[in-house]
Amino acid sequence: MSERGLDDGSGGGGSADGALPPSLTVDAFDVRMADVADIDLERLQALSISVGWPHRAEDWQFAREVGHGFVALDEIDRVLASAMWFPHGDDFATIGMVMTSPRLQSLGVGEWLMKRVLLASAGRTYRLNATRAALALYRSLGFIGHRTVFQFQGEARRSDQPPSAEPVRRLEAADLAAVTALDERAFGTSRAGLIARLFEQSVGYGLERDGTLAAFALCRPFGRGHVVGPVVAGLDEDAVAVLRPHVDEHDGRFLRLDTHLDEGIFPLFVARSGLRIHDTVLTMSLGAPLTDPATRGPDRPVTFALATQALG
């Protein structure tokens, strides 16, 4: 593999300031970079299928609406790789949708796109969830590993346990501000734009205590069925209480949930609801500390379940 003259991706000439080349010669063919927003959804979905990821065309579209990114194209415009970033305010972003066609995973295309993402989103701190195949790449870019994410999925099974004594209700449009504020306390930064978009596509349940929202769980179509997330609470019992109606509503259907927790009341309820650990990834950060879910408490809400691995 050889690299051509350095460029910032805008098509100009090379420079000595660390900018990136607009194209790569990979193996025996050229690869060029393009904006993910300019690519047909069917071609993006073909990439996710090639790497065994469940993303539908609709999931790609949602990612493009809330984030930015780049793809690598071959000489006949097949999508060979992708990388995206999702801004939250001016100083934080999550990175996700980092996929590389299996035949190119050792040829530097993923690194090329990741460096372009970091240049485009410069000035922020970052968080991402790394597959085992990408760990070495992220570590080479300075990312530090924190906690394992457990991907639970399967055919949901209605719980036979008695429901929570705390009243749980369906969330309405008027609850958006309270949901956004509680998510910010748990996640560590405001995700107002993302939460608003998720709220539009989700069914949500919330639990109030003393007139204040104490826990919530959103659920929406994703991948092979539905995904529950984010789930935010300070107490395990509250997290279970807002998750339970989603499990019951999807009895017999595919459901997914991604969590940093593999011990305690919450993951035990998830397992008893028919979901099993399918895979794991590692949450990593670059300049952005991760809230430890072990610190949770009545006044310390944490994220019990991620929105998705790409969004955190």
Side-chain angles (χ1 to χ4, degrees):
M1 179 183 71
S2 63
E3 295 187 359
R4 298 190 174 180
L6 295 179
D7 196 316
D8 63 0
S10 63
S15 67
D17 61 358
L20 294 173
S23 65
L24 281 171
T25 300
V26 178
D27 203 7
F29 58 91
D30 284 345
V31 174
R32 66 182 179 86
M33 192 180 298
D35 193 307
V36 70
D38 298 330
I39 306 301
D40 295 338
L41 291 172
E42 292 78 10
R43 290 158 63 199
L44 295 173
Q45 188 183 15
L47 172 64
S48 51
I49 291 172
S50 75
V51 299
W53 288 20
H55 296 72
R56 309 165 302 156
E58 295 89 342
D59 301 324
W60 274 103
Q61 179 59 26
F62 183 82
R64 296 197 305 186
E65 290 172 358
V66 298
H68 315 277
F70 305 95
V71 296
L73 305 174
D74 68 8
E75 293 171 319
I76 59 172
D77 284 347
R78 288 176 299 191
V79 181
L80 304 178
S82 65
M84 296 188 67
W85 58 284
F86 306 92
H88 307 295
D90 296 328
D91 56 5
F92 182 83
T94 57
I95 292 176
M97 306 297 279
V98 182
M99 311 178 200
T100 305
S101 174
R103 65 193 179 105
L104 296 180
Q105 286 179 355
S106 62
L107 298 178
V109 176
E111 179 181 7
W112 184 52
L113 290 179
M114 274 295 300
K115 288 182 175 179
R116 186 67 181 89
V117 163
L118 294 176
L119 281 172
S121 58
R124 290 172 167 84
T125 55
Y126 303 95
R127 193 179 303 169
L128 58 78
N129 291 296
T131 62
R132 286 180 288 276
L135 277 175
L137 166 61
Y138 297 137
R139 285 173 175 151
S140 73
L141 295 172
F143 284 83
I144 298 172
H146 295 287
R147 297 185 66 89
T148 299
V149 175
F150 301 90
Q151 180 182 327
F152 283 86
Q153 64 182 49
E155 186 177 294
R157 184 170 62 243
R158 183 183 297 271
S159 174
D160 57 5
Q161 301 178 46
S164 168
E166 299 280 359
V168 173
R169 65 173 178 84
R170 179 107 170 230
L171 296 173
E172 302 174 350
D175 296 304
L176 176 58
V179 167
T180 302
L182 189 59
D183 179 78
E184 180 177 356
R185 291 176 61 196
F187 195 77
T189 192
S190 175
R191 301 193 290 177
L194 173 63
I195 296 299
R197 295 305 304 276
L198 291 174
F199 210 75
E200 294 173 356
Q201 299 193 359
S202 302
V203 171
Y205 286 94
L207 181 153
E208 291 181 333
R209 187 170 290 113
D210 299 326
T212 301
L213 187 70
F216 74 86
L218 303 182
C219 181
R220 71 190 190 283
F222 177 83
R224 294 172 56 189
H226 284 72
V227 61
V228 183
V231 177
V232 173
L235 300 175
D236 290 54
E237 294 83 358
D238 292 351
V240 168
V242 293
L243 169 61
R244 181 187 183 114
H246 292 304
V247 172
D248 291 349
E249 288 176 2
H250 293 86
D251 184 35
R253 292 185 286 164
F254 184 88
L255 199 61
R256 172 174 170 173
L257 181 148
D258 296 273
T259 179
H260 286 115
L261 302 170
D262 66 337
E263 294 181 348
I265 296 172
F266 183 76
L268 180 60
F269 177 82
V270 173
R272 287 177 173 172
S273 300
L275 311 189
R276 297 290 181 266
I277 295 176
H278 172 74
D279 199 2
T280 61
V281 294
L282 180 66
T283 299
M284 308 183 77
S285 71
L286 185 62
L290 178 69
T291 301
D292 185 351
T295 64
R296 61 191 181 277
D299 298 317
R300 295 179 65 91
V302 299
T303 302
F304 276 79
L306 283 60
T308 63
Q309 291 181 11
L311 301 172

